[in-house]
Amino acid sequence: MIITYYGHSCFGVEVSGKKLLFDPFIASNPLAKNISVQDIQADYILLSHGHEDHVGDAESIAKRTGATVICNFELHNWMNSLGVTKTHPMNIGGHWIFEFGKVKCVNAVHSSSLPDGRYGGNPMGFLVETAEGNFYYAGDTALHYDMKLIGDYKKIKFAFLPIGNNFTMGIDNAVIASDFIRCERIIGMHYDTFEPIRINHEEAKRRFEQTSKELTLMKIGESIEL
Ligand code: NI
Ligand code: MN
């Protein structure tokens, strides 16, 4: 799998010949000013919840690329109302088999409203199972005990976890989350974008190292293969 970081919680994951894009928020993210939204390709766009910092560029990228948007039912209705017709509505607990693998929607403890203030349904995370390995995209969430279910039933190759604190869990709880999901390779997200979520990178990596885990903090625009 090839993972590309576009800033905040936005990642591209290339798997089984398909391009997945999670929570696009680029044009309004000053830290991602060197990323050109128009150049991002996607076959599928996965949205964890309705907050602006997760859906900011979903409409424009979906319309330009013709990508299918995978999201909760409320976001699906909203996308449809904006003229994005290729959507696949889901909800927590359900899974669906796509061309690239299986997506299961899992619990996230957070809130969700649309950029215009309307109800955005329940926030969620995604467990993605593919022929190249399984990964967990947590979305915005607090540490919660349901994460143990993921670790109990699936082997997770790597996980995207929020680490910025204030709006989501911070480093301490993300370390515990990585224990719950039994995953040693964590890619950090939802940090540095706004003042209350600035973190000390070295300190964060050290905290994971202390429990024999690896925290990867990708540079915006960087790609890695896992
Ligand atoms: Ni949020
Ligand atoms: Mn957020």
Side-chain angles (χ1 to χ4, degrees), residues 8-9 23 48-49 51-54 110 139-140 167-168 190 194 197:
H8 200 50
S9 293
D23 285 6
S48 65
H49 65 296
H51 289 158
E52 175 71 25
D53 59 319
H54 298 262
H110 191 63
D140 278 7
F167 299 113
T168 67
H190 216 272
F194 317 113
I197 62 173

Side-chain angles (χ1 to χ4, degrees), residues 21 24 43-47 55 58-59 61-63 65-72 75-76 78-80 84-90 98:
L21 183 70
D43 297 302
Y44 293 91
I45 299 170
L46 294 90
L47 304 177
V55 301
E59 178 190 356
I61 298 173
K63 283 180 175 170
T65 61
T68 299
V69 179
I70 301 171
C71 56
N72 72 21
L75 289 173
H76 144 88
W78 175 59
M79 280 282 125
N80 288 174
V84 175
T85 50
K86 279 175 75 179
T87 52
H88 185 99
M90 297 184 71
F98 295 91

Side-chain angles (χ1 to χ4, degrees), residues 183-185 206-214:
C183 180
E184 271 91 62
R185 187 76 196 260
R206 225 174 3 252
R207 300 295 282 278
F208 276 87
E209 271 166 27
Q210 283 163 359
T211 55
S212 305
K213 294 185 175 66
E214 186 181 353

